[in-house]
């Protein structure tokens, strides 16, 4: 990296410009997986920025999954495989865009169905209750990255079935109409069904990483979602504390 302070636009946030420069170097292959990224001191000297600005740029790169920061060792380009923080309820489209890629969604199912026993128990419903069901395949470019199988309580999101989920994700929509207060995650490796295997483009012996996610708003159940990811090319991470 041979940038100088004069290369930064004073009208834009300096930490963001530094962050975008590093992302560009990662995406073009100039910085490769596991290669060391310039330190805070290096960035201060290269761009004429403050240590606080350099720290913020590196922290956001870490939060977005571009780099791994190892205390006392340094900052390194993260493994190339996409990943998701399992302890955070993040919009899959935002995760993909943060990696500099294009998000696309194929809506496979969008329907009103009668709740089965599992949904009755998980969403605290009465027998015979109706729920909204969506099945959406999320792609990073042309690569399937997540199959989202979701059931939503109509009382908290009555207009759910009328949304265009090729333009807004269920996560983004539900965050607007039923802000998240509580979330429960169960994560496990699983052998996919034939349908899941075909949609995710998995090999015959490849497992998937499966997240069972349940959310509530103001004490009321909102939805239950089964999120399946390709096990051989995707990882889930968990970050707690500060």
């Amino acid at each position: 990296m041979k940038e100088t302070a004069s290369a930064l636009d004073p009208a834009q946030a300096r930490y963001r410009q530094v962050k975008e420069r590093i992302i560009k170097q990662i995406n073009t292959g100039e910085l490769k997986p596991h290669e060391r990224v310039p330190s805070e001191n290096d960035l201060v000297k290269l761009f004429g920025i403050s240590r606080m600005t350099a720290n913020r740029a590196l922290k956001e790169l870490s939060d977005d999954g571009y780099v791994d920061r190892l205390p006392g060792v340094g900052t390194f380009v993260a493994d190339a495989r996409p990943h998701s923080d399992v302890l955070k309820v993040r919009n899959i489209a935002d995760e993909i865009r943060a990696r500099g890629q294009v998000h696309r969604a194929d809506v496979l199912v969008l329907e009103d169905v009668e709740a089965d026993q599992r949904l009755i128990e998980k969403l605290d419903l009465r027998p015979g209750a109706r729920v909204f069901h969506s099945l959406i395949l999320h792609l990073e470019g042309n690569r399937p990255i997540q199959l989202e199988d979701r059931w939503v309580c109509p009382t908290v999101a009555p207009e759910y079935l009328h949304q265009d989920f090729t333009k807004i994700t269920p996560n983004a929509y539900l965050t607007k109409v039923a802000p998240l207060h509580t979330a429960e995650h169960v994560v496990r490796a699983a052998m996919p069904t034939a349908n899941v295997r075909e949609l995710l483009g998995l090999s015959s012996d490849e497992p998937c990483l499966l997240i069972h996610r349940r959310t509530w708003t103001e004490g009321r159940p909102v939805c239950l979602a089964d999120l399946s990811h390709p096990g051989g090319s995707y990882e889930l991470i968990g970050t707690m504390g500060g």
Side-chain angles (χ1 to χ4, degrees):
M1 178 184 284
K2 298 182 179 180
E3 306 286 356
T4 63
S6 62
L8 295 181
D9 183 349
Q12 298 180 22
R14 294 165 75 80
Y15 81 89
R16 187 181 299 278
Q17 293 180 69
V18 173
K19 175 183 172 183
E20 290 176 353
R21 297 289 177 84
I22 295 175
I23 289 174
K24 181 178 180 180
Q25 289 185 310
I26 293 172
N27 288 339
T28 60
E30 185 177 345
L31 284 173
K32 297 177 174 55
H34 310 299
E35 187 173 339
R36 186 185 293 272
V37 172
S39 66
E40 287 183 19
N41 287 336
D42 293 333
L43 294 176
V44 168
K45 295 175 182 177
L46 286 166
F47 292 101
I49 56 178
S50 69
R51 178 177 288 274
M52 181 179 297
T53 298
N55 178 271
R56 180 170 181 181
L58 291 176
K59 181 180 184 302
E60 291 203 3
L61 285 165
S62 177
D63 290 344
D64 290 344
Y66 285 101
V67 303
D68 294 321
R69 305 184 75 183
L70 305 179
V73 179
T75 301
F76 301 85
V77 178
D79 192 294
R81 72 174 58 188
H83 67 261
S84 176
D85 191 328
V86 68
L87 298 181
K88 297 178 182 178
V89 180
R90 295 188 63 188
N91 182 359
I92 184 66
D94 290 341
E95 289 187 6
I96 290 173
R97 291 172 189 138
R99 293 193 286 268
Q101 304 300 318
V102 176
H103 168 261
R104 180 165 63 86
D106 290 345
V107 180
L108 307 175
V109 175
L110 195 57
E111 61 184 355
D112 178 324
V113 298
E114 182 175 336
D116 60 18
Q117 190 59 38
R118 175 190 180 224
L119 296 176
I120 289 172
E121 294 174 359
K122 293 290 186 179
L123 297 178
D124 194 22
L125 300 171
R126 295 181 179 180
R130 310 293 296 184
V131 293
F132 297 150
H133 175 226
S134 59
L135 182 65
I136 299 173
L137 182 64
H138 296 280
L139 300 99
E140 187 165 331
N142 292 318
R143 177 187 182 189
I145 205 71
Q146 182 189 90
L147 182 63
E148 172 191 334
D149 204 1
R150 187 183 295 267
W151 296 267
V152 178
C153 293
T155 53
V156 296
E159 298 300 313
Y160 185 80
L161 295 183
H162 300 295
Q163 307 310 306
D164 182 352
F165 289 126
T166 65
K167 296 180 179 179
I168 183 172
T169 65
N171 174 283
Y173 174 70
L174 291 172
T175 297
K176 290 181 180 181
V177 301
L180 173 70
H181 286 179
T182 308
E184 171 191 84
H185 298 90
V186 178
V187 184
R188 64 185 177 89
M191 293 308 295
T193 64
N195 185 50
V196 172
R197 176 177 289 111
E198 180 180 358
L199 290 171
L200 289 178
L202 305 178
S203 61
S204 60
D205 59 349
E206 184 177 356
C208 66
L209 289 173
L210 178 62
I211 303 176
H212 298 287
R213 176 180 292 160
R214 189 162 44 144
T215 59
W216 291 261
T217 182
E218 298 180 343
R220 295 182 298 164
V222 174
C223 68
L224 177 68
D226 291 337
L227 310 173
S228 300
H229 310 81
S233 58
Y234 202 88
E235 64 182 10
L236 302 176
I237 64 173
T239 304
M240 297 184 69

